[in-house]
Each structure stands twice: as structure tokens, then as C-alpha cells.
Amino acid sequence: MAAPTSMQAAATTDPKTELNHFCQRYCQRPVTKADISYTTNKFGNQYQSIVKLDCIQGQEYAGHLCLNQKEAEKSAAEQAVMAFRPQMASLPPPASKDPKKKKERPRLTPAELAAKKAKQAEEGDNPAVTPKTKLNALVMKIAKRYLQKGETIYETKTYAGGGHQATVQLKALPGDWGNRVWAGHVSSTKQKAEQSAAEIALKQISEDPDMVAEAAKPKGAGKGKGKGKGKGFGFMWGPWDWQMMWGAPSGPNLPRERITEEPVNGEVLEWKDSFGWLKTNASIDHPSAKQREGKIYASKKDVTSGTIETGSKVCFYVYKDAQGLGAEEVQVGRLVAQRLCSMNMFQVHGVLRDKEKAKWAQGVSGLKLFEADSRDALALQEPLSNANAVVCTTGVPAFGIAGQWEKGNHPESVDHFGVKNAAHVWSSASGQKRRFVLMSSIGVTRRDGFPYSILNGGGVLDAKAKGEAAVRELAKERGFAVTVVRPGQLFGGPYENNRYLGTLFQLDKDSSVGAVKLEAGDTAVGDTLRSSLAGVLVRSLFSTQADMEFAARCSDLLLVLNAGSSSLKYALFSITGSPGRWSRVVHGLAEGIATKTECRIKEETHEGKKVHKVDLPDHRTALSRVADLLPGKDNISSVGHRVVHGGEAFKSSALIDERVLQAVRDSSALAPLHNPWNILGIEVSAELFGKNCPQVAVFDTAYHQTMPPRAYMYALPYDLYRKHHVRKYGFHGTSYLYVAEETSRVLKKPLDKLNIIACHVGNGASMCAIKEGRCIDTTMGMTPLEGLVMGTRCGDIDPALPIYLMENLGYTAKEVNNLMNKESGLLGLCGSFDDRDVEREYFEQKPRGTLAKEVQIYRMRKYLGAFLVALEGQVDALVFTGGLGEKSHLLRTLVCQGLDRLGLEINEEVNQAKGGRFSDNTRLDTQRHATQVWVIPTDEELCIAQQTHMIVTHDMLTQ
Ligand SMILES: Nc1ncnc2c1ncn2[C@@H]1O[C@H](COP(=O)(O)OP(=O)(O)O)[C@@H](O)[C@H]1O
Ligand SMILES: CC(=O)OP(=O)(O)O
Ligand SMILES: [Mg+2]
């Protein structure tokens, strides 16, 4: 029978003893020190302990801040006991050391055991560590990377009689596992249903020997040489250290009350597009904490720095509102340490002179701090000797004013001797020594000239040059690789320990030029943001190049190219500040490329619009003409490309390398009007902006990767899918992603609760059914030919038609392809691909124009009906976008005509205002029905810019 553990007992027993007893009963054996360990950290005069229960899946509980270590440990134990309280009553008594007694101990029957397990599952061992979180962690371990958006797909069905059942698919798993779908039990809420599906998937995956072996392999194993687990990287932290910036909180939607005075450390349990759930490392003692099962809500708007993903370590203030606890001013922790630690590949040693200054490090697991002065060889030995690589970021202020060079802490001793000493200690020790990354400064080799001669007034550049030379000499002698990174004047956080005027007064607090440009040697001029520099330093650790020497400076220009069949859209963004404040320095459109029509480049800057009449015989010429018109060409830090087809290989945007480019080439046949020009755009950009300029591919197909198999499978022999990836992919995904996020914003409804039918109607046209923010079906197929009637594309036809054309009318395959892609659609039906001509004919009641319009609209309405049903009638908004969607009131009128009984009704006065052309989000419906109708002008370029920036900064830290 259950042991009599009561609240009363808990109140009188020491919590550490109670926790010991509980663990013994839980594990059915005596527990040892190895099973329950306490770690205590000191914060000022106070102590906080974390108890780790290795006997219960390594769960950790943190206690409150206390006046001494003993109380802190008790408090941690108390937290653990509280978390397990629900399970205590149902457990058998403690295990006895007496073997005879052990036999007598009443055992649970299998049925009781099953009931117990079910109960535990229902209640959750620890509200923060749910099966979903565990599953995510396991999949990341197997995939050896962060999970991308859309790779973990939960779908929930709600039964008419009540109850929810969820399925989960984990696309990041290798091979066939990525296609499996696990279904959970029918549960009372959607959340529980998802947890149940996760639990079942978790069980099966963790019981499969192959998957277990895969999870146990270190990152990179199998591909390279050694087994190499646990490579250590030593880090020197100095006054030129880095951290993320603190930004201003964004405006609250509900009245908030901040309940923490200091920022707290925590982790992202789950991150969706616009919001997520966090947990604090230490539990929050507040009545509202229970409202969301201990989870803390965070909106994207409250994230002030860094990119948030599941598993990120974060730092934030906690507030309370009517709904429960939320997080604001969410920061991604110190970049380098956090990234390196979270990669789970390294033991990271941080070396600094004063540990007390590194309070932020408390939340970073896997980081070990050491106190040592870089000039103290003895003290450096422990942290550096077994490291495979060192990143050295020490430095002193350039001038010894106001006692800043006290205690012999001047350039010669730190920038020269300290650096040399660290390199010497590290490289003298046994073991593999790979790379020494040294943060130096621009101007080191130009220190005799203006303005560097002034900066060198105190000898700082002389000392840095000597430091560089010393490391190089040792490297030659001892055979390790060297990276010398030369930043410009550093700016941005951290502000503590920095005494430059700009940073002292935090004048640059609002700047966050995340982009950084690398230039070989020492010719660059400019400033460098600390967090970007941190990324560069980390990235250089992973380079295979033996020796590198480059300057790193901020550069805020990001170019987006959207190359289409006869046009090239481009936008040059200045990416200073948050994405909401990015501005277009110039954007434009080159049209008429390789056609017989007149070619021109239309550009728009802050000063107005210009049209350049130019000869554009091919896409290459168009690209270089556009590049000639770009201001600040040399400052472009990265280029984002719209790539139409990414096949199954790309579920999200990717940094372009030879492998990615080849995969895009492989998909070219599937998007013949687009991919070839996208590839050319990438190749020409490499020539124009240099190989150091990172390029990112943003795929039209990526957003649609959440479609369920029932929507993307064609009823063809299965092997065609398995072996040749024949399936529906869908396009215009970047546009749908943008439109879905905008709709969520204007409707003030969270993206994951939002159902929309979106129509992207431009020259190419498609529709998309979006359920809870994700694509569940779309009209385009394996290629952008399927679905709607387009400018020159036919859309849906009888699949037997091409065969008929070939077998009976003598067409070749190439001719059929040309016919369907370039000679059909509106052009085929009425002689013009431009909808403006078709509309004119329609209003003039010309038969062919009317026919073209009617076929086009009828096809859209057919899909509208299909998607209304796919969304079970629950549609928050019908959204129009793309050239026609934004500018043709006729199209919108005809699509919605007579559908008021289906909840779709347009207010014609609004629809036709401004000539029906809208460049702002505009609501069009009569406001009489649940379904709203909107024009949301798409901004594929901004979306591409954001993705590019995210990938480039992320890449710096992880590649
Ligand atoms: N005022 C208008 N009325 C109707 N259609 C328009 C109007 N302006 C532009 N369009 C249509 O929009 C198309 C271009 O849309 P867009 O989304 O920019 O094309 P793409 O598919 O090339 O990206 C043109 O081919 C034209 O048919
Ligand atoms: C995929 C596609 O058709 O794109 P666009 O509309 O830009 O031609
Ligand atoms: Mg387009």
C-alpha cells in the first residue's frame, strides 16, 4: 500500500531528507550521492542551489536565494519535493538494504504500475519538462542541429463527440523516420493530445537501437576522421568582451506588472512563429506561476536581441498580466558561450580576471569559468592546457588615462606579453592544438599613418602587432592554425568595463547593425558591433583554412534579388535597428529581359522614382546593370535570393554553398521559368560582391513543407515519391509566410490560432489554405504550373492532355512544356498575359477577354470552395495579395460574388476606393460575417531580407 506521506510530514521533515526518501521510493533502491547532487552559486551576499536528480532523468530544481549555502540547498530540495508531491502518495515505501525485507516489500501489480505511469504522464513529472520538450531534445540530439520551423508537425483532430487526438511528424529524423507519423491517445485538451502523441513518439524513438545509437554519436561523427567527443575550447574573456544589447520593452497588449527586479535566466521550451513558452532556471515564487503550468509566455515583440529557437538560453524580466506570467526584454544570452555550449560538442572554459563580473554565465550550462590573469602562466595552465583551440579577446584601453593602466595592465603587458603567454601555455601542453583565434584591431599594419598613429599614441597598436607576430611565430614552430580578426572601434553591449565615451554613455544603445563584412588583410575602415564580432570569432574556429587574417567591420546593406522569367526585382535594405525599422535604400524592377518588348529599370529611392531605358538582352546583363545602379555596392554584407524550387531538400532557408547550389540546379527542371535565373543571380552575385559575401537562398517551397501527405501526395505509384520525390511542393511560400504574419497582426489573433485562405495572384498565381498559421494545402504542385489560370500558364488540365498532344498532334515534350508554361493561361485564351488588357476586354464585353476572365475566376472559386471545406468552414480571413490581388477590384469582386451565405461579402465602396489599388493592408468585407476579407500587399523582399539576416548571423555562430 502507499506510504503515508502527508503534507504534515513534509512540513516537519528536512526537505533534503524528504527528497532522499522520495528518490529511494521512486527508484526502488537506496540512493547515493551520485544520484542527488547540489550545486550552489553565490550572487552577491546570497546563495542559490540547484539540485540535480540523476536518478530521475537528471531533472533539476533550483531553490530561492538564501543567506547561506545550507538554506539554499534546503530550498532547492523543497522545490523538488513540491514538484513531486502529486506522485508521492502513490509510491511504495523506501527500498530496504536488507535483502530479505526487499522480497517482502509489496510490489505493484502490472496494472497498478501502468496506472501509476499513466497518472505520472497525465500530471507530468515536471511541468516544464514535458514529453514535447523531451522529444524535441531527442530529435535535436539525433539530427545534431537545431530544428527548423515546420520540421516538427503536430496536427490535432477534434472529435464531434468531444476529445482531441493529435499526431506528430518529425521531419528532422533521418531516412524513413522523417515520414513516420505517431498518433496519441484521445485527450481532453489539444495540449494534452499533443503531449500524448509526443510521448508515444518519444517512447518508440528512444526504444529503437538505431535511433539511440544515432543520438549517442557526437556531431560530425561518421563523416570525418576521428570520434572526437568533448573537444575543449578555451576562451579568454577580457575587457573587450561581448554580450548582447539591452533594448527597450515593446508595448504591452494587456496591462502588465513586472514581478522581477533583476533579469532571470531561463530556456525556451517551445518557440512558434510569433510567440513561445519559456521556463526559468529557478522556479518563480508567485501565485500566477500556476496559471500556465509553470510556463512563461513570451511574445516575439518582447524579444529584444538574438534569434529565438527552442532550447535557446535566454535572459528576461518576468511580468504578470491577467493571463499569467509572461517574459519581457527577452535576450539571447552571451552569444559565444551560449552557442558553443548549446552545440553540445565542446567543454567551454571561460577565463577572466574576476569571476564576479560574469554573473550572466550562471545560466549557461556547459560553461566553466576560471579566474586567471593572462600574464600568469601558472594560473592559465588549468583552463588552457587541454583545450583544442583558444579565442583570445583580451585588451586594454588605448590610453592610460584615469588609472586605466593600473597594476601593470597596459598594452605591452596585455596585448603583447599576455597574448604571447597564453599562446605559449596553451601550445606547450600535450594534446591536439588546432587554432588560436586572436582579436586584434584594424590599423595594426597601418599604424604609422593617420588616423591610426593617433590611436597608437599609447602604443596599443605596436603591442597588438607584437602579439600577432608572437602567436604566428609559435604557430609556425608548433604547427597550429591562427586566425587574426581585426575589428574596428567596438560598439554595442556589454557596457560594463568599457570606458570609451560612446559606450560609457551607451550612445549606441539603439544600434544593432547585425551584419558584418569581412575583408582580407588590414585595409578596412569602420566600426564593429561586439555581438557580430563574437559571431565571426566563433565562425573562424570552424574554418579549415590554415591561417586567416581579416578585418571585420559593420556594414548595414543587405541586397535581395528576386529573379523571375522576364523580370528582376531587387531591394537594397539598410538593416540598422530591428527589422521593423529596416529601410529600403533603393528598390526596383528590371523588366522586359530577353523579350522583344522595351526594357527598362524602374528604381525608387527616398528621393523618388526613376526609369532607366536600357538594353537587357539577357539576365546577366540585367543583373550587372542593376548592380551598377546600387549605391554603396562595396558595403553589401550579404545577398538574399528568392529561389523558387527547393525540392524536398530544403525545409527552410539556406546559406548558399556549392552543395546548396547544386541542389537548386537539380530542381531546375521543376521550375523552368524561375530556377535557372535564380541560379544565375547567385553566380553573378558571387562575381560582383566577392566570395566572402554570404548569400542565402529563400525558397518558395519551404513554407508549404507543413502540408500533410494527403494534400501533397499524388495518387501515383508510391515509388515515384520515394525514389524521385514526385509530390506537390507549392510555391509563393515566402509571400504566404509574410501575409500570414501580417494577417495575424492586423486581426490581433495569434498566428497559431489563425485560419486563412490566401490568394497570391500576380503573373504566377496560387492559393493557400492556412490552418493555425501553417500551410495545409495549396494549388500549385510539383511545379508552379498546377492550379489556377495564370498569365501564361494553364494551371489544372487533364493530365492525359500532354500525351494526347504528343501522340496525336506531333508535339515534342519540350514544345508541350513551352505551350503549357509560356503560351497558355490568359495569353492562350485571349492573346494577352497582362490582366489589365484582359479586364479592358471584359468591360468592353469582348468574347475572348470575357472568357479568359471567367475561366480564371471560376478556377479560383473552385479552389475557394475546396479550401473552405479543408478548413471546415472556420476561416478568419480571405486574403488577396500579389499584383492582381492588390490592384484588381474586379478580381476580388468576382471571386466573392454571391458568397454571402458562405460568410464572404465585400463592401464594394471600399473595394473600389483608390481605383481598387491598395498599397496598405485594407479590410474589404461588410463586417457582417465571421470571415473578414483583406488586401494584404505582400513583401517577399522584406521577408527574404529577414531570413537572410537570420541565416547569416546564425551561421556565423554555428558553422
Ligand atoms: N491595376 C491592375 N489591374 C489588374 N492587374 C494588374 C494591375 N497591375 C498589375 N496587374 C497584374 O499584376 C501582374 C504582376 O504581378 P506581380 O505579383 O508583380 O507578378 P509576378 O508574378 O511577376 O511577381 C501583371 O502581370 C498584371 O497582370
Ligand atoms: C512561383 C511563381 O509562379 O512565381 P511568380 O508568381 O513570381 O512568377
Ligand atoms: Mg511574384
Side-chain angles (χ1 to χ4, degrees), residues 562 569 642 674 700 732 735 760 762-764 882-883 938 940:
N562 174 352
K569 291 181 186 162
R642 176 187 181 203
H674 300 87
D700 261 39
H732 293 135
S735 174
H760 176 114
N763 199 15
T938 192
E940 286 165 297

Side-chain angles (χ1 to χ4, degrees), residues 551-752:
R553 67 174 168 103
C554 273
S555 135
D556 73 337
L557 293 181
L558 189 157
L559 177 66
V560 173
L561 293 178
N562 174 352
S565 52
S566 65
S567 68
L568 170 67
K569 291 181 186 162
Y570 64 96
L572 186 64
F573 287 88
S574 164
I575 57 171
T576 305
S578 60
R581 296 200 312 217
W582 291 0
S583 65
R584 281 169 170 79
V585 179
V586 58
H587 65 110
L589 166 76
E591 58 185 4
I593 309 166
T595 63
K596 295 196 179 70
T597 56
E598 196 178 54
C599 306
R600 49 197 175 169
I601 298 179
K602 294 184 197 162
E603 67 166 2
E604 188 171 344
T605 62
H606 300 306
E607 277 141 34
K609 294 180 184 175
K610 265 193 214 154
V611 178
H612 307 267
K613 288 204 173 128
V614 278
D615 207 14
L616 302 173
D618 51 44
H619 280 76
R620 180 175 284 275
T621 316
L623 279 161
S624 45
R625 291 281 168 280
V626 164
D628 289 344
L629 291 173
L630 295 175
K633 203 174 101 187
D634 295 338
N635 278 330
I636 291 172
S637 61
S638 49
V639 185
H641 297 266
R642 176 187 181 203
V643 177
V644 165
H645 213 307
E648 267 202 327
F650 299 103
K651 294 176 172 56
S652 54
S653 309
L655 188 80
I656 297 170
D657 56 16
E658 202 30 60
R659 191 188 55 84
V660 170
L661 195 55
Q662 191 50 46
V664 176
R665 286 193 191 106
D666 293 344
S667 297
S668 269
L670 300 180
L673 299 188
H674 300 87
N675 269 33
W677 312 127
N678 303 151
I679 293 163
L680 189 74
I682 294 165
E683 288 168 348
V684 171
S685 297
E687 288 164 25
L688 291 172
F689 308 114
K691 289 220 154 37
N692 265 338
C693 179
Q695 300 196 56
V696 171
V698 179
F699 300 98
D700 261 39
T701 40
Y703 180 69
H704 301 295
Q705 288 288 311
T706 49
M707 270 188 288
R710 63 173 175 271
Y712 73 66
M713 285 301 293
Y714 293 122
L716 291 167
Y718 192 75
D719 265 5
L720 274 178
Y721 167 66
R722 219 164 48 94
K723 294 191 184 144
H724 304 287
H725 310 288
V726 169
R727 51 162 282 186
K728 179 191 276 281
Y729 287 96
F731 301 87
H732 293 135
T734 312
S735 174
Y736 289 127
L737 173 64
Y738 176 83
V739 160
E741 284 181 346
E742 276 299 289
T743 311
S744 150
R745 208 172 57 77
V746 293
L747 263 63
K748 297 192 178 66
K749 190 164 185 182
L751 192 60
D752 72 334

Side-chain angles (χ1 to χ4, degrees), residues 77-370:
E78 208 166 54
Q79 292 301 318
V81 168
M82 261 156 58
F84 289 113
R85 183 80 66 214
Q87 289 149 55
M88 285 190 171
S90 62
L91 282 178
S96 157
K97 283 178 192 154
D98 180 344
K100 262 187 251 155
K101 270 196 182 159
K102 198 174 171 185
K103 270 184 200 147
E104 287 158 18
R105 176 163 38 85
R107 282 204 166 267
L108 294 182
T109 65
E112 280 169 335
L113 202 64
K116 185 186 93 183
K117 280 196 177 159
K119 190 157 188 287
Q120 279 171 6
E122 180 84 354
E123 288 165 354
D125 320 345
N126 170 355
V129 189
T130 63
K132 281 175 75 171
T133 331
K134 285 186 204 160
L135 182 63
N136 247 356
L138 179 62
V139 177
M140 282 198 276
K141 250 185 159 170
I142 294 171
K144 315 260 175 283
R145 58 177 174 78
Y146 285 111
L147 302 187
Q148 306 280 352
K149 209 176 91 191
E151 283 190 328
T152 306
I153 306 171
Y154 286 94
E155 287 200 349
T156 315
K157 240 195 252 167
T158 302
Y159 291 103
H164 305 264
Q165 187 177 27
T167 57
V168 59
Q169 186 184 2
L170 304 157
K171 293 197 163 186
L173 290 179
D176 218 25
W177 282 83
N179 295 328
R180 294 191 191 185
V181 175
W182 289 271
H185 300 297
V186 177
S187 315
S188 54
T189 65
K190 275 191 180 178
Q191 184 56 19
K192 279 184 186 157
E194 289 190 354
Q195 295 293 5
S196 164
E199 196 171 25
I200 286 167
L202 184 68
K203 183 168 183 295
Q204 199 180 357
I205 299 167
S206 49
E207 283 174 359
D208 181 87
D210 288 345
M211 287 296 112
V212 172
E214 205 55 48
K217 275 188 205 161
K219 189 171 173 164
K223 289 180 210 143
K225 309 129 220 167
K227 283 189 185 139
K229 190 179 156 69
K231 296 175 188 80
F233 277 99
F235 281 88
M236 303 284 298
W237 305 91
W240 284 23
D241 203 339
W242 52 74
Q243 81 171 122
M244 295 301 291
M245 283 184 20
W246 296 95
S250 54
N253 295 330
L254 288 170
R256 296 174 172 185
E257 184 195 329
R258 194 175 269 197
I259 62 162
T260 52
E261 275 172 30
E262 295 280 334
V264 296
N265 289 318
E267 193 179 324
V268 179
L269 293 172
E270 192 182 355
W271 192 258
K272 310 217 167 157
D273 287 340
S274 55
F275 74 98
W277 297 104
L278 316 182
K279 72 165 181 143
T280 46
N281 293 349
S283 61
I284 296 268
D285 188 15
H286 193 279
S288 302
K290 289 187 195 81
Q291 267 171 279
R292 286 174 174 139
E293 302 165 318
K295 292 193 296 187
I296 296 176
Y297 173 83
S299 151
K300 194 178 180 178
K301 291 184 200 144
D302 286 298
V303 178
T304 59
S305 67
T307 309
I308 293 251
E309 291 158 290
T310 299
S312 302
K313 300 275 188 295
V314 282
C315 180
F316 50 90
Y317 289 92
V318 181
Y319 67 83
K320 119 178 164 27
D321 64 20
Q323 313 252 314
L325 296 188
E328 57 190 2
E329 293 192 45
V330 181
Q331 317 263 329
V332 180
R334 304 267 171 150
L335 282 177
V336 174
Q338 180 225 346
R339 284 285 176 187
L340 281 171
C341 293
S342 69
M343 285 159 82
N344 242 343
M345 292 163 71
F346 315 106
Q347 296 154 19
V348 182
H349 290 179
V351 186
L352 27 66
R353 278 175 301 167
D354 184 357
K355 268 205 224 178
E356 279 295 299
K357 285 192 177 151
K359 292 208 176 85
W360 57 270
Q362 311 283 4
V364 183
S365 68
L367 173 66
K368 193 165 172 197
L369 292 186
F370 295 83

Side-chain angles (χ1 to χ4, degrees), residues 569 760 762-764 833-836 839 882-884 887-888 917:
K569 291 181 186 162
H760 176 114
N763 199 15
F833 67 86
D834 194 321
D835 197 66
R836 283 163 287 199
E839 288 198 2
L884 276 86
K887 297 185 192 122
S888 168
R917 287 189 275 274

